Amino acid sequence: MRSGLRLVLAIAFLAACRKDYPTDIPGWVADRIRDCRKPFHRCNGLEILEYAGLGQRWFYFVERDNGSDELYRESAELVCTGQGMFIHEEQCSAVVLDSLHLVRQVWQEK
């Protein structure tokens, strides 16, 4: 009986440690995901998308529950904030999301 309990605990531990996001993302992106995964912590339906373009790697954070958008360079530099994919945001005129191409979905809060 003891070995069965150990096996169940080992499986539970490994499942809890399993990453549900890619391992090749910058540390600051992984930190934000880990923060959102904490018990009783909500991130407003956060979805993180990776884009490429203009010779750079980009990370697009969108909180689906409140429509808040943020676009970062891989270096963690916040380039744009706003709503609706920055269509009407003056500060984002240098970076048009339409000029970037989607690489992958990095993570989505469930």
Side-chain angles (χ1 to χ4, degrees), residues 3-80:
S3 62
L5 179 59
R6 283 187 203 147
L7 179 61
V8 169
L9 290 174
I11 291 170
F13 175 77
L14 290 174
C17 294
R18 195 185 105 241
K19 291 184 178 176
D20 60 349
Y21 56 89
T23 58
D24 64 341
I25 58 176
W28 64 270
V29 177
D31 289 345
R32 185 137 173 207
I33 293 169
R34 282 191 294 271
D35 188 52
C36 287
R37 293 174 66 211
K38 290 179 182 175
F40 309 108
H41 191 207
R42 294 244 335 119
C43 289
N44 297 312
L46 180 66
E47 180 179 16
I48 302 172
L49 303 170
E50 180 182 341
Y51 283 84
L54 306 173
Q56 298 185 61
R57 188 175 175 197
W58 305 81
F59 291 90
Y60 176 59
F61 291 68
V62 59
E63 294 180 357
R64 301 287 180 201
D65 295 348
N66 66 11
S68 174
D69 297 350
E70 300 170 331
L71 183 65
Y72 293 87
R73 287 190 171 93
E74 182 176 15
S75 64
E77 176 188 353
L78 177 61
V79 177
C80 299

